Amino acid sequence: MSSLAHPRVAAASAAAVPYWIDGRRVAPHSARVGRVMNPSTGDVLRTVPLADAADVDTAVRSARAAFPAWRATTPLRRARIISRFRELLDAHQQELATLISEEHGKVLLDAMGSVQRGIEVVEFAAGAPHLLKGSFSESVGRDVDAYSLQQPVGVCVGITPFNFPAMVPLWMLPVALVCGNTFVLKPSEKDPSASIRMAELLKEAGLPDGVFNVVHGDKETVDALLAHSDVDAVSFVGSTPIAKYIYATAAARGKRVQALGGAKNHAVVLPDADLAFAADAVVGAAYGSAGERCMAISAVVAVGEAGDALVSQIAERARTLKVGPSLEHGIDMGPVVTAEHRARIVGYIDVGVAQGASLVLDGRGITVAGYERGFFVGPTLFDRVTPAMTIYRDEIFGPVLVVVRAESLDEAIALVNDNPYGNGTALFTRSGAAARQFEQDVQVGMVGINVPIPVPMAFYAFGGWKQSLFGDLHLHGLEGIKFYTRTKAVTRRWTADPAVSPHLPTLG
Ligand code: NAD
């Protein structure tokens, strides 16, 4: 009997996760329901409503109604509310991380770190009045000045993935709100609870009702959001096929859209690198959060004689990783998010073996004592993988690392550039010249030099290239401010009124 077919329900907490609309918890109109699992135990933790078009309409209407007053609230006042939200997130970081760890399966320390990275975007947003200043040109003509205004877009929607239930929404919502927009969040239905807690904290911070709303759901919900005529902008983060769909659908309906997709991030290791350091870094980046990170390293390109030593050092370290329940102390790697996802990952490992890659470490069939129904996959390492193999081409999104051998830096860069994704990449070397060539030539949005997961700080923008992002503007940083504002150029003439200032020259 599979845990998928007959999940146990944790009776004490099998409550329904509510929506958040108009500043309060709201029950659904829709009768459709999903299940929120505890991936460590295989139990159903909660149920989650899957919004229909009527639920979506209620949320969007609330955001639309709140827009005029929020837009008219001064940027300073908006920023103060965001600052207060940051303080509350600090105070509730552990509580949020525990919810995330429980529903997602990442270990608590990792969840804490992800909330911290989200808080940094809130910190950035609190300084936004400086970035909303616009520009001014005095006397572009006689009595004429020209200037620009940065005005909010309107009702903005965020559709976010399961793997960062607080951090990815926080890449969007503080920036959107501080710019004067109202917001409807549709978080992943797999781990929706953190979004409701953040909504409560926003209210406690002083955010007016209706400015921030949350509905839960799936494709039907997303389609209702994309079809809604009162939605002005859509930010999406998730897998590439859905990102492409969101981009095409929302843009065709005249909405502003940024849609971040999947990844296959390569770490290139040159023979001159500190191999022990590179192996440590790669193990953390490949297996942390069970590989369910959009910036995880999922492919290593070992150049020249780096190969054998690197593979054995990675294997040696990965073998020691402790796999177990996410909230238990001392665990390095928790389960993956669902039983279906585990089955998919195991299927990829089977295909890798069938296609002739060399399986150095096999994470299939792992059981954790006391947690036999959990969705665990152990660290898995393939060597001598070729670019034609499925395990190289596809985003697996699990603890599966593939090693490809290359003869030179040029060949390694060509491999990275041939890959359809372009989210993140890293180079390990002691050579400044090699590093410079890599950062200049590589067709990827976020680059690390001896840094395995080069997630940009909040004051830089986050985003990939190629199939990892559809749209023009990345998230947060100045690009986030640009996405969530519309520029208005004003050309203004003030001619002295002779009745008021008789001595000043008049027009013409
Ligand atoms: P997903 O694409 O399955 O889901 C993302 C969101 O879209 C969820 O809210 C989901 O409910 C919704 N959705 C799912 N199917 C849909 C459909 N057919 N039509 C409309 N909406 C739909 O992604 P996921 O499994 O939740 O997250 C993992 C993926 O997200 C990975 O591919 C990962 O690389 C990617 N990701 C990318 C980044 C980035 O910054 N580029 C960051 C995090 C995650």
Side-chain angles (χ1 to χ4, degrees), residues 159-163 171 186-189 217-219 222 236-239 242 245 260-263 294 395 397 423 462 468:
I159 301 161
T160 53
F162 79 84
N163 65 323
W171 284 350
K186 206 300 286 172
S188 171
E189 66 279 27
D218 53 4
K219 177 173 169 50
V222 170
F236 173 87
V237 176
S239 58
I242 313 294
Y245 169 75
L260 281 69
C294 59
E395 179 185 40
F397 218 58
N423 212 40
F462 183 107
S468 295

PDB file of all heavy atoms in Angstrom, residues 159-163 171 186-189 217-219 222 236-239 242 245 260-263 294 395 397 423 462 468, ligand 1:
ATOM      1  N   ILE A 159       2.622  34.409  -8.251  1.00  0.00           N
ATOM      2  CA  ILE A 159       2.346  32.956  -8.292  1.00  0.00           C
ATOM      3  C   ILE A 159       3.683  32.279  -8.004  1.00  0.00           C
ATOM      4  O   ILE A 159       4.651  32.482  -8.743  1.00  0.00           O
ATOM      5  CB  ILE A 159       1.796  32.542  -9.673  1.00  0.00           C
ATOM      6  CG1 ILE A 159       0.503  33.311  -9.974  1.00  0.00           C
ATOM      7  CG2 ILE A 159       1.549  31.031  -9.731  1.00  0.00           C
ATOM      8  CD1 ILE A 159       0.135  33.325 -11.442  1.00  0.00           C
ATOM      9  N   THR A 160       3.745  31.511  -6.918  1.00  0.00           N
ATOM     10  CA  THR A 160       5.060  31.102  -6.423  1.00  0.00           C
ATOM     11  C   THR A 160       5.180  29.581  -6.273  1.00  0.00           C
ATOM     12  O   THR A 160       4.175  28.879  -6.158  1.00  0.00           O
ATOM     13  CB  THR A 160       5.346  31.807  -5.079  1.00  0.00           C
ATOM     14  OG1 THR A 160       4.265  31.569  -4.180  1.00  0.00           O
ATOM     15  CG2 THR A 160       5.497  33.309  -5.281  1.00  0.00           C
ATOM     16  N   PRO A 161       6.418  29.074  -6.257  1.00  0.00           N
ATOM     17  CA  PRO A 161       6.657  27.624  -6.243  1.00  0.00           C
ATOM     18  C   PRO A 161       6.710  27.069  -4.817  1.00  0.00           C
ATOM     19  O   PRO A 161       6.754  27.827  -3.848  1.00  0.00           O
ATOM     20  CB  PRO A 161       8.034  27.518  -6.886  1.00  0.00           C
ATOM     21  CG  PRO A 161       8.733  28.751  -6.434  1.00  0.00           C
ATOM     22  CD  PRO A 161       7.682  29.827  -6.342  1.00  0.00           C
ATOM     23  N   PHE A 162       6.780  25.737  -4.729  1.00  0.00           N
ATOM     24  CA  PHE A 162       6.757  25.119  -3.400  1.00  0.00           C
ATOM     25  C   PHE A 162       8.089  25.252  -2.678  1.00  0.00           C
ATOM     26  O   PHE A 162       8.143  25.153  -1.458  1.00  0.00           O
ATOM     27  CB  PHE A 162       6.378  23.626  -3.519  1.00  0.00           C
ATOM     28  CG  PHE A 162       7.539  22.747  -3.952  1.00  0.00           C
ATOM     29  CD1 PHE A 162       8.456  22.276  -3.031  1.00  0.00           C
ATOM     30  CD2 PHE A 162       7.724  22.402  -5.288  1.00  0.00           C
ATOM     31  CE1 PHE A 162       9.528  21.481  -3.424  1.00  0.00           C
ATOM     32  CE2 PHE A 162       8.794  21.621  -5.701  1.00  0.00           C
ATOM     33  CZ  PHE A 162       9.702  21.160  -4.759  1.00  0.00           C
ATOM     34  N   ASN A 163       9.174  25.479  -3.407  1.00  0.00           N
ATOM     35  CA  ASN A 163      10.464  25.233  -2.760  1.00  0.00           C
ATOM     36  C   ASN A 163      10.934  26.362  -1.832  1.00  0.00           C
ATOM     37  O   ASN A 163      11.796  26.126  -0.988  1.00  0.00           O
ATOM     38  CB  ASN A 163      11.542  24.868  -3.789  1.00  0.00           C
ATOM     39  CG  ASN A 163      11.862  25.977  -4.742  1.00  0.00           C
ATOM     40  OD1 ASN A 163      10.973  26.719  -5.147  1.00  0.00           O
ATOM     41  ND2 ASN A 163      13.117  26.125  -5.099  1.00  0.00           N
ATOM     42  N   TRP A 171      10.456  37.975  -2.343  1.00  0.00           N
ATOM     43  CA  TRP A 171      11.164  38.617  -3.459  1.00  0.00           C
ATOM     44  C   TRP A 171      10.237  39.627  -4.143  1.00  0.00           C
ATOM     45  O   TRP A 171      10.678  40.543  -4.806  1.00  0.00           O
ATOM     46  CB  TRP A 171      11.569  37.593  -4.508  1.00  0.00           C
ATOM     47  CG  TRP A 171      12.744  36.731  -4.177  1.00  0.00           C
ATOM     48  CD1 TRP A 171      13.620  36.864  -3.135  1.00  0.00           C
ATOM     49  CD2 TRP A 171      13.178  35.577  -4.919  1.00  0.00           C
ATOM     50  NE1 TRP A 171      14.566  35.875  -3.192  1.00  0.00           N
ATOM     51  CE2 TRP A 171      14.323  35.071  -4.275  1.00  0.00           C
ATOM     52  CE3 TRP A 171      12.716  34.933  -6.062  1.00  0.00           C
ATOM     53  CZ2 TRP A 171      15.015  33.952  -4.742  1.00  0.00           C
ATOM     54  CZ3 TRP A 171      13.398  33.818  -6.520  1.00  0.00           C
ATOM     55  CH2 TRP A 171      14.536  33.330  -5.867  1.00  0.00           C
ATOM     56  N   LYS A 186      -0.714  33.900  -4.882  1.00  0.00           N
ATOM     57  CA  LYS A 186      -1.182  32.516  -5.027  1.00  0.00           C
ATOM     58  C   LYS A 186       0.041  31.648  -4.768  1.00  0.00           C
ATOM     59  O   LYS A 186       0.805  31.339  -5.677  1.00  0.00           O
ATOM     60  CB  LYS A 186      -1.745  32.293  -6.439  1.00  0.00           C
ATOM     61  CG  LYS A 186      -2.781  31.199  -6.554  1.00  0.00           C
ATOM     62  CD  LYS A 186      -2.290  29.826  -6.147  1.00  0.00           C
ATOM     63  CE  LYS A 186      -1.377  29.188  -7.150  1.00  0.00           C
ATOM     64  NZ  LYS A 186      -0.764  27.926  -6.631  1.00  0.00           N
ATOM     65  N   PRO A 187       0.249  31.261  -3.488  1.00  0.00           N
ATOM     66  CA  PRO A 187       1.431  30.461  -3.183  1.00  0.00           C
ATOM     67  C   PRO A 187       1.237  29.016  -3.649  1.00  0.00           C
ATOM     68  O   PRO A 187       0.144  28.643  -4.071  1.00  0.00           O
ATOM     69  CB  PRO A 187       1.485  30.517  -1.649  1.00  0.00           C
ATOM     70  CG  PRO A 187       0.055  30.689  -1.232  1.00  0.00           C
ATOM     71  CD  PRO A 187      -0.613  31.486  -2.321  1.00  0.00           C
ATOM     72  N   SER A 188       2.286  28.232  -3.513  1.00  0.00           N
ATOM     73  CA  SER A 188       2.157  26.812  -3.874  1.00  0.00           C
ATOM     74  C   SER A 188       1.148  26.150  -2.951  1.00  0.00           C
ATOM     75  O   SER A 188       1.162  26.345  -1.733  1.00  0.00           O
ATOM     76  CB  SER A 188       3.503  26.101  -3.752  1.00  0.00           C
ATOM     77  OG  SER A 188       3.302  24.707  -3.912  1.00  0.00           O
ATOM     78  N   GLU A 189       0.294  25.338  -3.533  1.00  0.00           N
ATOM     79  CA  GLU A 189      -0.716  24.619  -2.741  1.00  0.00           C
ATOM     80  C   GLU A 189      -0.071  23.510  -1.905  1.00  0.00           C
ATOM     81  O   GLU A 189      -0.720  22.910  -1.060  1.00  0.00           O
ATOM     82  CB  GLU A 189      -1.806  24.058  -3.674  1.00  0.00           C
ATOM     83  CG  GLU A 189      -1.369  22.975  -4.658  1.00  0.00           C
ATOM     84  CD  GLU A 189      -0.675  23.498  -5.916  1.00  0.00           C
ATOM     85  OE1 GLU A 189      -0.063  24.584  -5.874  1.00  0.00           O
ATOM     86  OE2 GLU A 189      -0.720  22.788  -6.940  1.00  0.00           O
ATOM     87  N   GLY A 217      -4.470  27.539  -4.581  1.00  0.00           N
ATOM     88  CA  GLY A 217      -5.053  26.811  -5.697  1.00  0.00           C
ATOM     89  C   GLY A 217      -4.045  26.274  -6.679  1.00  0.00           C
ATOM     90  O   GLY A 217      -2.833  26.249  -6.426  1.00  0.00           O
ATOM     91  N   ASP A 218      -4.592  25.853  -7.821  1.00  0.00           N
ATOM     92  CA  ASP A 218      -3.846  25.141  -8.845  1.00  0.00           C
ATOM     93  C   ASP A 218      -4.039  25.833 -10.189  1.00  0.00           C
ATOM     94  O   ASP A 218      -4.284  27.038 -10.237  1.00  0.00           O
ATOM     95  CB  ASP A 218      -4.324  23.687  -8.889  1.00  0.00           C
ATOM     96  CG  ASP A 218      -5.856  23.634  -9.036  1.00  0.00           C
ATOM     97  OD1 ASP A 218      -6.486  24.720  -9.172  1.00  0.00           O
ATOM     98  OD2 ASP A 218      -6.424  22.525  -9.017  1.00  0.00           O
ATOM     99  N   LYS A 219      -3.968  25.062 -11.259  1.00  0.00           N
ATOM    100  CA  LYS A 219      -4.085  25.653 -12.602  1.00  0.00           C
ATOM    101  C   LYS A 219      -5.386  26.439 -12.770  1.00  0.00           C
ATOM    102  O   LYS A 219      -5.380  27.536 -13.329  1.00  0.00           O
ATOM    103  CB  LYS A 219      -3.983  24.551 -13.668  1.00  0.00           C
ATOM    104  CG  LYS A 219      -4.178  25.082 -15.090  1.00  0.00           C
ATOM    105  CD  LYS A 219      -3.907  24.040 -16.130  1.00  0.00           C
ATOM    106  CE  LYS A 219      -4.360  24.469 -17.515  1.00  0.00           C
ATOM    107  NZ  LYS A 219      -3.892  25.796 -17.931  1.00  0.00           N
ATOM    108  N   VAL A 222      -4.965  29.734 -11.126  1.00  0.00           N
ATOM    109  CA  VAL A 222      -4.029  30.590 -11.868  1.00  0.00           C
ATOM    110  C   VAL A 222      -4.699  31.111 -13.135  1.00  0.00           C
ATOM    111  O   VAL A 222      -4.587  32.301 -13.467  1.00  0.00           O
ATOM    112  CB  VAL A 222      -2.733  29.800 -12.184  1.00  0.00           C
ATOM    113  CG1 VAL A 222      -1.849  30.574 -13.150  1.00  0.00           C
ATOM    114  CG2 VAL A 222      -1.982  29.481 -10.893  1.00  0.00           C
ATOM    115  N   PHE A 236       5.774  35.522 -11.702  1.00  0.00           N
ATOM    116  CA  PHE A 236       5.700  34.069 -11.533  1.00  0.00           C
ATOM    117  C   PHE A 236       7.081  33.524 -11.277  1.00  0.00           C
ATOM    118  O   PHE A 236       8.062  33.946 -11.895  1.00  0.00           O
ATOM    119  CB  PHE A 236       5.121  33.419 -12.806  1.00  0.00           C
ATOM    120  CG  PHE A 236       5.181  31.911 -12.774  1.00  0.00           C
ATOM    121  CD1 PHE A 236       4.155  31.169 -12.200  1.00  0.00           C
ATOM    122  CD2 PHE A 236       6.275  31.227 -13.298  1.00  0.00           C
ATOM    123  CE1 PHE A 236       4.217  29.779 -12.150  1.00  0.00           C
ATOM    124  CE2 PHE A 236       6.344  29.837 -13.253  1.00  0.00           C
ATOM    125  CZ  PHE A 236       5.310  29.114 -12.681  1.00  0.00           C
ATOM    126  N   VAL A 237       7.167  32.534 -10.390  1.00  0.00           N
ATOM    127  CA  VAL A 237       8.397  31.739 -10.234  1.00  0.00           C
ATOM    128  C   VAL A 237       7.964  30.285 -10.158  1.00  0.00           C
ATOM    129  O   VAL A 237       7.077  29.932  -9.370  1.00  0.00           O
ATOM    130  CB  VAL A 237       9.177  32.133  -8.957  1.00  0.00           C
ATOM    131  CG1 VAL A 237      10.384  31.222  -8.775  1.00  0.00           C
ATOM    132  CG2 VAL A 237       9.639  33.588  -9.029  1.00  0.00           C
ATOM    133  N   GLY A 238       8.581  29.443 -10.981  1.00  0.00           N
ATOM    134  CA  GLY A 238       8.224  28.022 -10.986  1.00  0.00           C
ATOM    135  C   GLY A 238       8.973  27.316 -12.101  1.00  0.00           C
ATOM    136  O   GLY A 238      10.062  27.746 -12.507  1.00  0.00           O
ATOM    137  N   SER A 239       8.385  26.252 -12.632  1.00  0.00           N
ATOM    138  CA  SER A 239       9.076  25.456 -13.653  1.00  0.00           C
ATOM    139  C   SER A 239       8.957  26.119 -15.037  1.00  0.00           C
ATOM    140  O   SER A 239       8.037  26.916 -15.268  1.00  0.00           O
ATOM    141  CB  SER A 239       8.479  24.051 -13.676  1.00  0.00           C
ATOM    142  OG  SER A 239       7.100  24.139 -13.946  1.00  0.00           O
ATOM    143  N   ILE A 242       5.566  25.975 -17.193  1.00  0.00           N
ATOM    144  CA  ILE A 242       4.485  26.817 -16.650  1.00  0.00           C
ATOM    145  C   ILE A 242       4.871  28.300 -16.801  1.00  0.00           C
ATOM    146  O   ILE A 242       4.020  29.141 -17.108  1.00  0.00           O
ATOM    147  CB  ILE A 242       4.202  26.487 -15.161  1.00  0.00           C
ATOM    148  CG1 ILE A 242       4.095  24.975 -14.925  1.00  0.00           C
ATOM    149  CG2 ILE A 242       2.921  27.183 -14.690  1.00  0.00           C
ATOM    150  CD1 ILE A 242       2.953  24.275 -15.546  1.00  0.00           C
ATOM    151  N   TYR A 245       4.027  29.385 -20.222  1.00  0.00           N
ATOM    152  CA  TYR A 245       2.569  29.496 -20.353  1.00  0.00           C
ATOM    153  C   TYR A 245       2.068  30.793 -19.703  1.00  0.00           C
ATOM    154  O   TYR A 245       1.252  31.521 -20.285  1.00  0.00           O
ATOM    155  CB  TYR A 245       1.927  28.262 -19.699  1.00  0.00           C
ATOM    156  CG  TYR A 245       0.428  28.374 -19.518  1.00  0.00           C
ATOM    157  CD1 TYR A 245      -0.432  28.238 -20.609  1.00  0.00           C
ATOM    158  CD2 TYR A 245      -0.123  28.614 -18.259  1.00  0.00           C
ATOM    159  CE1 TYR A 245      -1.808  28.346 -20.439  1.00  0.00           C
ATOM    160  CE2 TYR A 245      -1.494  28.724 -18.084  1.00  0.00           C
ATOM    161  CZ  TYR A 245      -2.335  28.595 -19.180  1.00  0.00           C
ATOM    162  OH  TYR A 245      -3.690  28.709 -19.013  1.00  0.00           O
ATOM    163  N   LEU A 260       9.801  33.554 -14.018  1.00  0.00           N
ATOM    164  CA  LEU A 260      11.075  32.879 -13.819  1.00  0.00           C
ATOM    165  C   LEU A 260      10.855  31.370 -13.854  1.00  0.00           C
ATOM    166  O   LEU A 260       9.919  30.872 -13.230  1.00  0.00           O
ATOM    167  CB  LEU A 260      11.697  33.288 -12.472  1.00  0.00           C
ATOM    168  CG  LEU A 260      12.404  34.645 -12.461  1.00  0.00           C
ATOM    169  CD1 LEU A 260      11.440  35.805 -12.592  1.00  0.00           C
ATOM    170  CD2 LEU A 260      13.220  34.810 -11.181  1.00  0.00           C
ATOM    171  N   GLY A 261      11.716  30.669 -14.579  1.00  0.00           N
ATOM    172  CA  GLY A 261      11.524  29.238 -14.802  1.00  0.00           C
ATOM    173  C   GLY A 261      12.555  28.376 -14.104  1.00  0.00           C
ATOM    174  O   GLY A 261      13.192  28.784 -13.128  1.00  0.00           O
ATOM    175  N   GLY A 262      12.725  27.178 -14.628  1.00  0.00           N
ATOM    176  CA  GLY A 262      13.586  26.165 -14.005  1.00  0.00           C
ATOM    177  C   GLY A 262      15.060  26.370 -14.308  1.00  0.00           C
ATOM    178  O   GLY A 262      15.471  27.413 -14.831  1.00  0.00           O
ATOM    179  N   ALA A 263      15.848  25.356 -13.966  1.00  0.00           N
ATOM    180  CA  ALA A 263      17.300  25.537 -14.033  1.00  0.00           C
ATOM    181  C   ALA A 263      18.017  24.202 -14.163  1.00  0.00           C
ATOM    182  O   ALA A 263      17.471  23.155 -13.819  1.00  0.00           O
ATOM    183  CB  ALA A 263      17.770  26.237 -12.761  1.00  0.00           C
ATOM    184  N   CYS A 294      16.221  26.306  -6.863  1.00  0.00           N
ATOM    185  CA  CYS A 294      16.409  26.721  -8.253  1.00  0.00           C
ATOM    186  C   CYS A 294      17.857  27.096  -8.511  1.00  0.00           C
ATOM    187  O   CYS A 294      18.296  27.147  -9.642  1.00  0.00           O
ATOM    188  CB  CYS A 294      15.524  27.912  -8.563  1.00  0.00           C
ATOM    189  SG  CYS A 294      15.881  29.294  -7.485  1.00  0.00           S
ATOM    190  N   GLU A 395      15.754  18.989 -15.870  1.00  0.00           N
ATOM    191  CA  GLU A 395      15.843  19.450 -14.480  1.00  0.00           C
ATOM    192  C   GLU A 395      15.195  18.368 -13.608  1.00  0.00           C
ATOM    193  O   GLU A 395      13.993  18.104 -13.728  1.00  0.00           O
ATOM    194  CB  GLU A 395      15.087  20.777 -14.292  1.00  0.00           C
ATOM    195  CG  GLU A 395      15.155  21.262 -12.859  1.00  0.00           C
ATOM    196  CD  GLU A 395      14.318  22.519 -12.570  1.00  0.00           C
ATOM    197  OE1 GLU A 395      13.188  22.628 -13.079  1.00  0.00           O
ATOM    198  OE2 GLU A 395      14.805  23.379 -11.830  1.00  0.00           O
ATOM    199  N   PHE A 397      15.457  18.252 -10.080  1.00  0.00           N
ATOM    200  CA  PHE A 397      14.977  18.936  -8.873  1.00  0.00           C
ATOM    201  C   PHE A 397      14.929  17.995  -7.668  1.00  0.00           C
ATOM    202  O   PHE A 397      13.960  17.936  -6.924  1.00  0.00           O
ATOM    203  CB  PHE A 397      13.606  19.569  -9.120  1.00  0.00           C
ATOM    204  CG  PHE A 397      13.469  20.911  -8.434  1.00  0.00           C
ATOM    205  CD1 PHE A 397      14.353  21.937  -8.703  1.00  0.00           C
ATOM    206  CD2 PHE A 397      12.469  21.150  -7.504  1.00  0.00           C
ATOM    207  CE1 PHE A 397      14.254  23.169  -8.077  1.00  0.00           C
ATOM    208  CE2 PHE A 397      12.357  22.380  -6.861  1.00  0.00           C
ATOM    209  CZ  PHE A 397      13.256  23.389  -7.154  1.00  0.00           C
ATOM    210  N   ASN A 423      20.111  29.883 -15.408  1.00  0.00           N
ATOM    211  CA  ASN A 423      19.800  30.519 -14.131  1.00  0.00           C
ATOM    212  C   ASN A 423      21.079  30.904 -13.388  1.00  0.00           C
ATOM    213  O   ASN A 423      21.431  32.065 -13.286  1.00  0.00           O
ATOM    214  CB  ASN A 423      18.934  29.581 -13.283  1.00  0.00           C
ATOM    215  CG  ASN A 423      17.964  30.347 -12.396  1.00  0.00           C
ATOM    216  OD1 ASN A 423      17.393  31.342 -12.844  1.00  0.00           O
ATOM    217  ND2 ASN A 423      17.776  29.905 -11.172  1.00  0.00           N
ATOM    218  N   PHE A 462      17.570  39.467  -9.034  1.00  0.00           N
ATOM    219  CA  PHE A 462      17.626  38.007  -9.157  1.00  0.00           C
ATOM    220  C   PHE A 462      16.915  37.591 -10.430  1.00  0.00           C
ATOM    221  O   PHE A 462      15.728  37.883 -10.610  1.00  0.00           O
ATOM    222  CB  PHE A 462      16.938  37.354  -7.942  1.00  0.00           C
ATOM    223  CG  PHE A 462      17.008  35.847  -7.964  1.00  0.00           C
ATOM    224  CD1 PHE A 462      17.843  35.164  -7.089  1.00  0.00           C
ATOM    225  CD2 PHE A 462      16.256  35.110  -8.870  1.00  0.00           C
ATOM    226  CE1 PHE A 462      17.922  33.775  -7.117  1.00  0.00           C
ATOM    227  CE2 PHE A 462      16.335  33.717  -8.911  1.00  0.00           C
ATOM    228  CZ  PHE A 462      17.163  33.053  -8.025  1.00  0.00           C
ATOM    229  N   SER A 468      15.265  30.177 -18.371  1.00  0.00           N
ATOM    230  CA  SER A 468      15.069  30.382 -16.928  1.00  0.00           C
ATOM    231  C   SER A 468      14.330  31.676 -16.617  1.00  0.00           C
ATOM    232  O   SER A 468      14.040  31.939 -15.440  1.00  0.00           O
ATOM    233  CB  SER A 468      16.419  30.367 -16.196  1.00  0.00           C
ATOM    234  OG  SER A 468      17.008  29.100 -16.295  1.00  0.00           O
TER     235      SER A 468
HETATM  236  P1  NAD B   1       5.476  24.617 -10.711  1.00  0.00           P
HETATM  237  O1  NAD B   1       5.777  25.274 -11.995  1.00  0.00           O
HETATM  238  O2  NAD B   1       4.877  23.252 -10.735  1.00  0.00           O
HETATM  239  O3  NAD B   1       4.444  25.511  -9.846  1.00  0.00           O
HETATM  240  C1  NAD B   1       4.678  26.878  -9.635  1.00  0.00           C
HETATM  241  C2  NAD B   1       3.346  27.570  -9.402  1.00  0.00           C
HETATM  242  O4  NAD B   1       2.518  27.416 -10.561  1.00  0.00           O
HETATM  243  C3  NAD B   1       2.548  26.999  -8.231  1.00  0.00           C
HETATM  244  O5  NAD B   1       1.931  28.049  -7.543  1.00  0.00           O
HETATM  245  C4  NAD B   1       1.531  26.092  -8.910  1.00  0.00           C
HETATM  246  O6  NAD B   1       0.323  25.979  -8.191  1.00  0.00           O
HETATM  247  C5  NAD B   1       1.288  26.780 -10.239  1.00  0.00           C
HETATM  248  N1  NAD B   1       0.982  25.825 -11.319  1.00  0.00           N
HETATM  249  C6  NAD B   1       1.324  24.515 -11.376  1.00  0.00           C
HETATM  250  N2  NAD B   1       0.877  23.972 -12.529  1.00  0.00           N
HETATM  251  C7  NAD B   1       0.260  24.950 -13.203  1.00  0.00           C
HETATM  252  C8  NAD B   1      -0.403  25.003 -14.472  1.00  0.00           C
HETATM  253  N3  NAD B   1      -0.498  23.930 -15.268  1.00  0.00           N
HETATM  254  N4  NAD B   1      -0.922  26.179 -14.873  1.00  0.00           N
HETATM  255  C9  NAD B   1      -0.839  27.270 -14.097  1.00  0.00           C
HETATM  256  N5  NAD B   1      -0.214  27.269 -12.885  1.00  0.00           N
HETATM  257  C10 NAD B   1       0.324  26.133 -12.447  1.00  0.00           C
HETATM  258  O7  NAD B   1       6.818  24.643  -9.835  1.00  0.00           O
HETATM  259  P2  NAD B   1       7.088  23.967  -8.438  1.00  0.00           P
HETATM  260  O8  NAD B   1       7.167  22.490  -8.614  1.00  0.00           O
HETATM  261  O9  NAD B   1       6.177  24.503  -7.413  1.00  0.00           O
HETATM  262  O10 NAD B   1       8.539  24.553  -8.117  1.00  0.00           O
HETATM  263  C11 NAD B   1       9.720  23.987  -8.632  1.00  0.00           C
HETATM  264  C12 NAD B   1      10.151  24.655  -9.908  1.00  0.00           C
HETATM  265  O11 NAD B   1      10.307  26.056  -9.685  1.00  0.00           O
HETATM  266  C13 NAD B   1      11.501  24.189 -10.399  1.00  0.00           C
HETATM  267  O12 NAD B   1      11.440  24.064 -11.802  1.00  0.00           O
HETATM  268  C14 NAD B   1      12.460  25.280  -9.995  1.00  0.00           C
HETATM  269  O13 NAD B   1      13.636  25.380 -10.769  1.00  0.00           O
HETATM  270  C15 NAD B   1      11.590  26.475 -10.178  1.00  0.00           C
HETATM  271  N6  NAD B   1      12.070  27.604  -9.409  1.00  0.00           N
HETATM  272  C16 NAD B   1      12.681  28.612 -10.083  1.00  0.00           C
HETATM  273  C17 NAD B   1      13.184  29.689  -9.397  1.00  0.00           C
HETATM  274  C18 NAD B   1      13.868  30.800 -10.122  1.00  0.00           C
HETATM  275  O14 NAD B   1      14.218  31.759  -9.470  1.00  0.00           O
HETATM  276  N7  NAD B   1      14.056  30.733 -11.408  1.00  0.00           N
HETATM  277  C19 NAD B   1      13.046  29.755  -8.008  1.00  0.00           C
HETATM  278  C20 NAD B   1      12.389  28.718  -7.343  1.00  0.00           C
HETATM  279  C21 NAD B   1      11.902  27.641  -8.068  1.00  0.00           C
END
